Amino acid sequence: MAKKRILLIDDEEDIREVAQLSLEIVGGWQVITGSSGSEAVAKAEVEQPDAILLDVMMPEIDGFSTLKQLRANQATQQIPVIFLTAKVCSEDRHQFLQLGINGVITKPFDPMSLATEVETILGWVP
């Protein structure tokens, strides 16, 4: 079975590094990283990952706008997206549901359980 491929987008380098190590070591997945919404759209189209972990609060293009672009693109609209965010309130959850987000993982996350959280949200059997 091929390794799962995850696209991880976060503007904070330390978050990317910790999450990447966690997903590679604990999850055994291949992780592609980026630091912006525009990078997310470009890399998702080319790389066709199995899932995208997407930060909500980013400069220039936020996670909501990035998600809209991903869903509007024929090549990326079916890729599952999980928001990775420190900002989760009831208003945000309502917006997530309207946009068709697959799930939310709050920051700070536990690096040892990050891969399990992703598997649970996406229904992947380890």
Side-chain angles (χ1 to χ4, degrees):
M1 185 169 119
K3 271 187 181 184
K4 295 282 189 191
R5 298 177 59 211
I6 305 291
L7 176 57
L8 170 66
I9 303 295
D10 198 299
D11 62 316
E12 295 180 48
E13 186 177 354
D14 55 340
I15 299 286
R16 282 195 315 273
E17 288 176 4
V18 169
Q20 181 176 6
L21 283 171
S22 170
L23 296 170
E24 288 176 345
I25 294 169
V26 179
W29 301 329
Q30 178 185 353
V31 179
I32 304 144
T33 63
S35 61
S36 69
S38 55
E39 247 186 300
V41 174
K43 287 187 176 188
E45 191 167 357
V46 171
E47 299 288 345
Q48 290 295 299
D50 294 295
I52 300 170
L53 283 180
L54 180 62
D55 186 18
V56 173
M57 302 294 288
M58 294 184 290
E60 297 174 32
I61 304 172
D62 68 9
F64 296 115
S65 298
T66 302
L67 179 67
K68 286 178 186 172
Q69 289 180 34
L70 289 166
R71 293 298 187 241
N73 184 331
Q74 190 82 23
T76 59
Q77 64 187 194
Q78 298 301 318
I79 301 170
V81 176
I82 298 171
F83 275 163
L84 189 60
T85 182
K87 181 185 176 222
V88 182
C89 66
S90 59
E91 181 182 305
D92 290 333
R93 288 191 188 279
H94 180 69
Q95 196 170 7
F96 297 157
L97 292 174
Q98 288 182 325
L99 293 172
I101 197 78
N102 293 80
V104 179
I105 296 175
T106 56
K107 294 192 257 184
F109 54 83
D110 176 0
M112 296 310 293
S113 65
L114 181 60
T116 303
E117 287 185 69
V118 171
E119 288 173 335
T120 300
I121 289 169
L122 298 176
W124 293 348
V125 177

